[in-house]
Amino acid sequence: GWVPVYLMFLLICNFRSSVCQALVLEIGETVQILEKTEGKSSSYVHLKKSTVSNRGLCETVVPLEDPIITETTSTLQEWGVLWKQLYVKHKVDLFHKLRHVMNELIDLRRQLIQGHLAQDQTREIKRHITVRLDWGNEHLGLDLVPRKEFEMVDQDHISVSELYKLCSSSVRSQGDNMRQRHGDGCQVPVQHHLFINLKSFTYNTISEDADVFFSLYDTRDNKQISEKFMVRLNKNGGPKNPEKVDRLCALFTDLSSKDLKRDLYIVTHVIRTGRMLLNDSKKGLPHVQYRRPYGCAVLAMSDVFHTITDLKEEKDFVLKVYTCNNENEWFQIHENIIRKSSTKYSAPSTNYGLIISLQLLRGELDQIRRENQAVFSRALAITRKLGFPDVIMPGDTRNDLYLTLERGDFERGGKSVQKNIEVTVYVLYADGDTLKDCISLGSGEPNTSEHRSFVLYHNNSPRWSEMIKLPIPIDRFRGSHLRFEFRHCSTKDKGEKKLFGFSFTPLMREDGTTLSDESHELYVYKCDENTTFSNQGLYLSMPCCKEDFNSCPNLPSTLPFQRNPKETFWVSTQLCSTKLTQNVDLLALLNWKAHPDKVLDILGQLRHINGEEIVKFLRDVLDTLFCLLDDNTDKYGPLVFQSLVFIINLLRDSRFYHFRPVMEAYIQNHFAGALAYKELIRCLKWYMDRSAEVVRQDHIQEAMRALEYLLKFIVQSRILYSRATCGMEEELFRASIQELFQSIRFVLSLDSRSSETLVFTQAALLNSFPDIFDELLQMFTVQEVAEYVRGTLGSMPSTVDIGQSMDVVKLQSIARTVESRLFFFPESRSILLPVVLHHIHLHLRQQRELLICSGILTSIFSIINTSAMESSVQEEVEMMVESLLDVLLQTLLSIMSKSQSLETARGQRCPQCTAEITGEYVSTLLSLLRQMTEVHFHHLLNNFHSKEELKEFLLKIFCVFRNLMKLTIFPRDWSVMRLLTSHVIVVTTQYLSPALHKNFSEADFDFKVWNSFFSLTVLYINQPSLQLEPLTQAKRKKVLDKYGDMRVMMAYELFSMWQKLGENKPHFIPGMMGPFLGVTLVPQSEVRNIMIPIFHDMMDWEQRQNGNFKLVEAELMDKLESMVSDGKGDEPTTSNLFVCSLLEKIEQETWRETGISFVTSVTRLMERLLDYRECMKGDEMENKKIGGSSNLMNFYKSEMNKEEMYIRYIHKLCDLHLQAEDYTESAFTLLLYWELLHWEDRPLREFLHYPTQSEWQRKEGLSRKVLHYFNKGKCWEYGISLCRELAFQYETLYDYQSLSWIRKMEAAYYDNIIEQQRIEPEFFRMGFYGRKFPFFLRNKEFVCRGYDYERLEDFQQRMLGEFPQAIAMQHPNQPDDALLQSDAQYLQIYAVTPVSDITDVPQLERVPERIKSFYRINNVTRFHYDRPFHKGPKDRENEFRSLWIERTTLILSRPLPGISRWAEVERRELVEVSPLENAIYVVENKTQELRTLISQYQHRQHHGNINPLSMLLNGVIDAAVNGGIARYQEAFFDKEYINSQPEDTERIAQLNDLMQEQVHILGVGLAVHEKLVHPEMRPLHKKLIDQFHMMRQSLYVVQQGLPAGYTGVNSPRGILTTHSHMSPESVRLIHRHSPMNLQGSIRQSSSSLSSHTSSEAGGNLVILTDGLMGEPPEDTAHMQVGLTCTCFIFQPSPSSSSLSSIRSTSSQIINSAPSSARGHFLMHFDAFHHQNSDPPPALPIRSLRKSPLHPIPGSPTSPQSALGGSNSTLSGSASSGVSSLSESNFGGQYPDPPVRNDAMEPVPSHLWTPEEYLDSPYLHIHYSGPEAESLDQVRPFHYRNPVSHLHPHSHPQSHPQPAGLDGHPHPHSHPQSHPQTAGLDGHPLFHNKRQLQKVIFLVK
């Protein structure tokens, strides 16, 4: 009809206007014009005509242009957005490919819009466009676009089945459909063509003209299969014809797929034209030219196929030209090269040869010519196959005779050498004239009138094997002959060519046949140079060969020419002609009137004639046959019928398939047998009637296969007869046709199960039967033909009575009947449809041949859908509903159940269960439901005999619909099919729901049907294809315009049916609570509003029945978790709208409080579940996943009290830890479940991955798993308590085997603690501020345990990677409220220091450092960080005097490590640290770092890398020497400060003590450095020694200036005075921070001016030193105690704050040392002499805080611990990676340890005076560990009397306490008057005060 045209405009540039009402438009947007004013169009727009569809609010404007252009435009706009996203996502490869494709599409679209293309070109461009559109959509994950003829299909105009076919790409082209129609036997072979282009021939040895011949050669059959392509080149290698430059190309045509599978080679022969011998100028005169063989090249086509992978791809190849070693073998040089017989040919001296390019093309030659016009315009030489191609085209006229000069045998003729023989070939006509241009040497060059062969040098038996083509005109062929003249080419004298003989042969024999295709041995007749052949009759009367001689017995005795009996000449011929034949029988048939008596024999021989010969003369043969039939019907009738059947079946061959149109043209235009129909019907009926009797039915089957063309002849004959007789004998004809159909029914009704031959007869008849409908329609009405067909189809036996093979054939026949033109007529369809549906119904009931049945149904629905637009199809649809609907549902249920079982079993593939069949039948069912109207549904629902039948039907259809949504029937990108399916389902449900309510409500309520309905609606609303929110705006609009929001439609249907339930609602409470909850999680506000009354209703009913919501709540909680985990639900804000609306309804109820509480709980769970789901997205967000899981797990335990869910999330959290290789956290997580279990024998059900077992077994298994994880996490201390727990259980059960195992494991854990290396992690504080963070992180702060070797910068990068939207805060200050409530993410990170909970315990003095270090950083709940500030006015002279530290302590909710690397901060405490306390803390930290590093080097934990030690020593000493330490001295050792701050006296003494200790440790470090330093680093070491002298001297000077009355706690006087009155509990002499509170290596606190390592300091050094002077005891003179110093590196401004935490370089490197390289050696304290050769200083006597460890499982806190007597004063901690110098304690507090005999000799560490060190009186440090036994035996250590080194004012002890050989007191010497002072190894060292005084005096 008429379509109104509207205007629209397209923006061609962006439009911005200052007018507020104006549109803001972007380039490419379109605007519909509703009204246009007069005036000039804007330059911003381009006007286009358009139409409007879906008129109304959602109307769509479609431009009036080619749909392909519109689609391309919209697709490019959509791709443009996605293309940019590819760049952002780093998909670079696809980004570049898509850009290229988009540019191509823009160019193709431009060509299409211009419209200057021919029809074929337009079609080709559309094809290219659609290929690219589909490629892009596929790679971008966009929807599949179903197409028909390159255009998008309108789904409203085709059936669902047809749409499915299009989507699955199974719709075939017209040619494919034609091939399918005629079976596999009629498939047309694809033709292949090889394009060859000679680019160059580089040669430097010929220097003569050359002919290059290319041909295709089959090595398997040793024959040439193509003509030759010839190129003539000049002596420079260029084309001889200048016009052919760049045009030396040919196309080898008509290659079949079979040819390509042969062992094909491209063979190239090079024939030069010039002298006889190439390199001998004397042989042959320059003016005499000879054609001489030069060389040959080959190329395997297999190599070509491997190189050329894509069709039409052109590649270059180089062919080497080889020369023949012996010209006698020239005829087979190509074979020798292929066989690699290298002795018979020579390779070229250089790599020169032929350069050719090749290209493979496929398809019809005409199509190739159209597609490649540029190629064909280059004077392309068409080079054909020898003989006919596989496909013979009717219009292909050829008359080519291929002649091969094979070989000859000639006499020497009295010559001393053999002859050089040249053959000249002529083609002569009967009148003796030479036929002009009838000889072709090869394509590419013009034809000639004569041909001269190449000459083989000195060869009387030459073998040429040279082929030429003779394209002789057909009218000149008869009477023509060939003459071969032989000449000897002399190289002497004048170089003449002397004629010495000739041969000849006629081209046709006397019987009219041509020269046979074989080798012919010709006679050679003598002649001389003077012989003339003016009268060819002279020699034509002579025999040309032996056969000719035998056929001419009466030859005259004298002949004009004498034959030389010793000379012969061989040629072979091959005829390729569509006009001439070599077949005698065919000629006899065509000329039957010459021998009428032989007609029967001739007709009998017709079957043996080659098919090529018959199709060449098809029209003549058919005319002859019908002429014979008219001549004598009775005599020739049966034989003519047989011959006709043979010829018809011959055309079924694929080679002659193209001759079918020739046959049809003959029938329509040339056939004249008006009486033939009678005999043909009689013979055909006779054949059919005999099928029940005859055993051999080959001839009957052939007649059945020829049925189509026999009917064509019959109908055309009757038309001719009727036309000639004005319709006479019409009734007779109808009667004969009626009888013929009765015979057909008779054949089909026979029982073929017992006769295999009869099966083939019936199959042949059924295959041909649908082909006769069109012929019958010419003679009968549509109804008559339909009745004939219905009777025939009805006569076929049912499925049960025939075999499976006949079953298939029968259905294929029905399928082709439905596809025929007959079925398109409504009047015939009403007749045929019942019988077709009957057969399909039977097959579907028995589940047989489902695929064919679905194809038939698809065709039926396609036809009905098309017919519905023109006429009513209500009755036909009614017929199909009654016959098919129920059986279709049953079939689909069966297929789906098989598909599901197949997926689970993964068994043998069942052809009935494939996705293809499922898709076919789903589309069939949808097609039927789509065609049904309200009337059809009404009839259907009212025709059930009982409610049980209706119930069964409803259950079936609801089940099928549910399966459609649960199973993946259609792929994700088949959006069109998915939406159409949903539309059909919702419309069908709307029709069925009234019947459900009417028949199964109130008294007749049926829970099963209602439950099935509700399940369907819930599944429907939740299906992914209907969720419009993730779609692009354009796609969402498209869907809404087409269908609306189908979720809302189904939700209204659900609400309506729920209201109709009435009193039956409690049946679905709480069962449907979960599914309905799933509906509310759909992010569609209208659906949620619909569901609110339903939820309110359910809660109201539950309250009325039970008085609470327990059941509803339990159901809701369970379902909520699973649904959110499956990805349902959206942002909490939209969920809250639903909750608010529900709360409004609840507010009006009496049960308001409980209802609100219930909804609030659900809301809180929902928030956490959504957080959890958000965290689980992505691959690399481990911390977020763990945090979300932990948060949800705790919620289930603490608030919901749902133990099963709690346990599930325990295991989910454990799995996340294992993925991140956090084994310690995995163990702690599993311990949560472990704690829920008891050591009881209560049976437990199967749960998660746990089998059915007792509670004891499960707890034991968990224990072992936890132990395994603790072991992998190197937290053996935690595993020890669990080992003891298991040991107790095993001991209780007397399970000694397991007890032994667990005790060994416990022992192994102790060994690991002592021996293995453990890295101390860093700790980081994180604050998450802003509302954009997940609920469990929002506005909270945490402390995180970092990974091994992870520094602050690495941690910050990792966290910012997990929260890419977060903004890093650059200060440590607490955020304000505005920042907390902002819609953003702020992340605050800085390092914190753990504060151990270890308290002072005396036993810990003897605990090795590596054991204590574990407890410093584990089971920690307190962390602190420092911020420096100046209290009061800043002291400008010395800022350290006013520099205070604000120390913030964070208290965690749980200790670290635990179930997560994170722990939330519960509260914070703030204290201020004075400048002096800070100085003590800083010095102590640096001392600890020195002790750690030196200890590790003492224990050989490094291999040659001394850099960390060098840097640390340099940093400390250099800082002390260059003035930094003086600032501390000025600040705190100033008399004014000491007098003004008397309360700091003890702290100043402590600082002094620490500095003394640091000096001594520096000495030890220099000793170690001396021993290990590389020779190249000696200057640095000397510098350190010199600076160390200066450092000590500066300390000495400072101490001299201290007040005389100042007494430090650790001065000799202080020690003796305090010590003499000490109680056993008063061991601690100095109250200061214990190193057990410190890190093993120095840590810079996050906000304080803490230390970088000295290697990183640069110039920002501040040296901190302190010292104190001790008063001498009463009996001693004044002694001066040397001071120790430390250095610490500060930022330039001491008040500045830092968030960086730089871990000590030395500690990092040391910790990375392999454990195998770490041994346990003794570390010796090195003594040093100062400049005045004073004795070296001793380590200061100091004590540690003795603290009981926090009660971690397995901690060595017991006073009876075996570690009590073996503490290490300076031990290497291999297990923790950190070692420290451990201080000595006073031994008087404990009993003497047992005498040890393993004290080791000190190993000297060389200093600047190593020989002095060797005599050092100071004890070595002994580590008593498990390695002691493995050390070499060493001599005992003798303590040296230090009297000779005493100061003049000192009073040396005259009778020192005698010591044993091992340095211990003698067993009988235990003085009780003075407590003993413990040595560095824990043994008594000082036996009285004097001895102690002497040692202290040495410090000076």
Side-chain angles (χ1 to χ4, degrees), residues 1419-1454:
N1419 202 40
V1420 182
T1421 56
R1422 299 171 69 86
F1423 295 83
H1424 75 253
Y1425 66 92
D1426 297 340
R1427 184 179 69 84
F1429 70 99
H1430 288 276
K1431 200 168 190 179
K1434 181 177 179 181
D1435 191 328
R1436 299 193 177 276
E1437 293 182 2
N1438 193 329
E1439 61 183 17
F1440 293 108
R1441 194 173 290 165
S1442 62
L1443 184 65
W1444 285 66
I1445 298 295
E1446 181 188 83
R1447 177 158 295 159
T1448 304
T1449 303
L1450 306 174
I1451 294 94
L1452 307 185
S1453 58
R1454 58 172 177 79

Side-chain angles (χ1 to χ4, degrees), residues 483-541:
R483 186 170 74 228
F484 308 93
E485 298 178 2
F486 308 108
R487 289 179 172 82
H488 167 58
C489 301
S490 173
T491 56
K492 298 178 181 180
D493 303 330
K494 299 177 182 179
E496 296 176 348
K497 299 179 180 179
K498 298 179 180 179
L499 180 68
F500 66 87
F502 74 95
S503 297
F504 70 94
T505 177
L507 295 180
M508 294 189 75
R509 298 194 180 96
E510 292 181 2
D511 58 7
T513 60
T514 61
L515 207 58
S516 58
D517 293 349
E518 59 185 357
S519 183
H520 306 279
E521 182 182 351
L522 304 181
Y523 290 161
V524 177
Y525 291 94
K526 296 178 182 178
C527 64
D528 55 30
E529 188 62 33
N530 299 321
T531 304
T532 61
F533 300 101
S534 56
N535 183 5
Q536 75 279 4
L538 292 176
Y539 60 82
L540 286 178
S541 60

Side-chain angles (χ1 to χ4, degrees), residues 198-345:
L198 177 61
K199 292 192 168 181
S200 70
F201 180 23
T202 56
Y203 57 95
N204 53 9
T205 57
I206 301 183
S207 300
E208 293 181 345
D209 293 352
D211 296 340
V212 183
F213 296 92
F214 295 91
S215 61
L216 296 179
Y217 184 80
D218 182 4
T219 56
R220 194 175 300 168
D221 295 337
N222 292 328
K223 68 177 185 181
Q224 186 177 321
I225 69 164
S226 75
E227 297 178 0
K228 290 182 178 180
F229 164 51
M230 178 184 179
V231 177
R232 286 212 158 125
L233 303 175
N234 58 31
K235 62 182 179 180
N236 297 319
K240 204 164 185 178
N241 184 352
E243 295 179 359
K244 291 203 170 186
V245 175
D246 293 332
R247 294 189 170 196
L248 304 176
C249 48
L251 189 70
F252 287 83
T253 62
D254 304 329
L255 299 174
S256 64
S257 300
K258 185 179 176 183
D259 289 331
L260 297 184
K261 293 175 184 176
R262 295 178 172 184
D263 291 336
L264 284 188
Y265 280 79
I266 297 175
V267 173
T268 307
H269 289 96
V270 181
I271 305 292
R272 65 182 178 83
T273 304
R275 294 188 174 90
M276 184 65 71
L277 297 180
L278 190 61
N279 48 9
D280 188 356
S281 59
K282 297 178 182 178
K283 296 292 184 181
L285 301 175
H287 65 277
V288 182
Q289 300 285 306
Y290 307 97
R291 295 183 74 243
R292 297 276 289 130
Y294 174 73
C296 177
V298 300
L299 174 64
M301 286 299 294
S302 57
D303 296 340
V304 175
F305 297 145
H306 286 144
T307 307
I308 301 178
T309 53
D310 297 331
L311 203 64
K312 297 187 179 180
E313 182 184 12
E314 190 170 351
K315 286 285 182 70
D316 289 352
F317 297 87
V318 178
L319 280 65
K320 283 188 180 181
V321 178
Y322 298 92
T323 55
C324 189
N325 292 341
N326 184 356
E327 282 189 6
N328 294 336
E329 296 189 352
W330 169 260
F331 69 97
Q332 58 182 11
I333 181 174
H334 51 282
E335 294 178 11
N336 291 333
I337 297 172
I338 292 169
R339 290 197 299 261
K340 295 185 170 56
S341 303
S342 56
T343 57
K344 299 183 179 180
Y345 60 87

Side-chain angles (χ1 to χ4, degrees), residues 815-879:
R816 291 174 53 206
T817 300
V818 170
E819 292 169 1
S820 67
R821 188 165 65 95
L822 177 66
F823 202 77
F824 277 85
F825 298 107
E827 51 268 41
S828 65
R829 198 161 57 243
S830 60
I831 297 170
L832 293 174
L833 195 56
V835 69
V836 171
L837 294 177
H838 169 71
H839 283 291
I840 292 176
H841 183 91
L842 290 176
H843 280 80
L844 294 184
R845 280 271 176 234
Q846 298 171 24
Q847 300 286 295
R848 294 175 63 172
E849 306 306 331
L850 295 180
L851 206 55
I852 305 176
C853 290
S854 70
I856 297 170
L857 291 174
T858 297
S859 300
I860 293 173
F861 283 120
S862 179
I863 293 166
I864 287 178
N865 194 80
T866 306
S867 302
M869 299 174 187
E870 301 169 0
S871 60
S872 173
V873 290
Q874 186 171 338
E875 290 183 7
E876 294 168 24
V877 174
E878 185 70 40
M879 206 184 300

Side-chain angles (χ1 to χ4, degrees), residues 439-505:
I439 299 177
S440 171
L441 273 65
S443 64
E445 291 296 331
N447 296 348
T448 60
S449 301
E450 66 174 50
H451 167 62
R452 297 181 183 276
S453 72
F454 56 83
V455 180
L456 295 175
Y457 186 61
H458 288 176
N459 194 337
N460 281 344
S461 299
R463 300 193 67 164
W464 297 279
S465 294
E466 186 177 15
M467 177 183 288
I468 57 176
K469 182 172 79 169
L470 308 176
I472 303 169
I474 187 67
D475 56 337
R476 294 295 188 102
F477 209 90
R478 180 180 293 274
S480 295
H481 68 276
L482 301 176
R483 186 170 74 228
F484 308 93
E485 298 178 2
F486 308 108
R487 289 179 172 82
H488 167 58
C489 301
S490 173
T491 56
K492 298 178 181 180
D493 303 330
K494 299 177 182 179
E496 296 176 348
K497 299 179 180 179
K498 298 179 180 179
L499 180 68
F500 66 87
F502 74 95
S503 297
F504 70 94
T505 177

Side-chain angles (χ1 to χ4, degrees), residues 699-711:
H699 55 296
I700 300 176
Q701 291 164 14
E702 288 181 359
M704 299 300 102
R705 293 189 190 100
L707 189 61
E708 177 188 3
Y709 278 94
L710 289 174
L711 256 293

